[in-house]
Amino acid sequence: MADYLSLAGFTLVGVAIAGPLVVMMGFNFSACITLLVMASPLLLLFSPILAPAALVLVASVVSFVAAAAMALAGIWALTWAYRHVPVGRGPPVVSREEDTLTESGQRVRQRVEDFGGYLQKKVEVLPPGDRLIDH
């Protein structure tokens, strides 16, 4: 019997709390619908002004968010560089990535020099009349 009484008590408390909330929700909904019906002619009348203003507002918010994202990316890059670049600790340490980049650059330079020598030999082999550019 005590369980049924506590269940009834909880139900009454729930109805006492939820009942006014449901009534206020109904008033709020009816007020919103009434204001929408009353304001729709004004919205239609001022839409040539409101639509571009809304577009400008949206564009400015998007631009601000993009600027904030770029600022955060810049701050992140600076902190990354500060953590990875040795400052005031003797001679700079060359990392493995820099070694690989230097070796790649040396290979490219060697290939360009080899190709330049190949082209020089081709130009020397051609007779003077067969050159592509006449000076």
Side-chain angles (χ1 to χ4, degrees):
M1 183 83 170
D3 291 334
Y4 292 116
L5 288 177
S6 63
L7 180 62
F10 288 135
T11 304
L12 285 175
V13 170
V15 168
I17 292 173
L21 291 177
V22 170
V23 171
M24 286 190 293
M25 183 188 67
F27 284 140
N28 192 5
F29 181 70
S30 62
C32 287
I33 295 298
T34 304
L35 287 175
L36 180 65
V37 168
M38 290 172 57
S40 59
L42 291 174
L43 289 173
L44 186 63
L45 183 66
F46 289 111
S47 64
I49 297 169
L50 294 176
L55 288 176
V56 167
L57 181 68
V58 167
S60 64
V61 168
V62 167
S63 300
F64 181 76
V65 169
M70 286 185 244
L72 287 175
I75 291 170
W76 177 82
L78 287 175
T79 57
W80 180 87
Y82 181 74
R83 280 187 272 131
H84 286 81
V85 174
V87 178
R89 293 183 233 140
V93 178
V94 178
S95 66
R96 186 171 51 101
E97 292 86 10
E98 290 173 308
D99 288 339
T100 305
L101 187 60
T102 303
E103 291 170 2
S104 298
Q106 290 172 351
R107 274 186 270 141
V108 168
R109 179 179 179 191
Q110 185 62 39
R111 285 185 180 181
V112 167
E113 288 175 354
D114 292 345
F115 189 66
Y118 169 77
L119 288 178
Q120 186 68 29
K121 288 178 186 175
K122 281 290 193 186
V123 169
E124 290 172 359
V125 170
L126 288 175
D130 289 344
R131 293 193 180 192
L132 297 176
I133 301 174
D134 292 327
H135 291 285

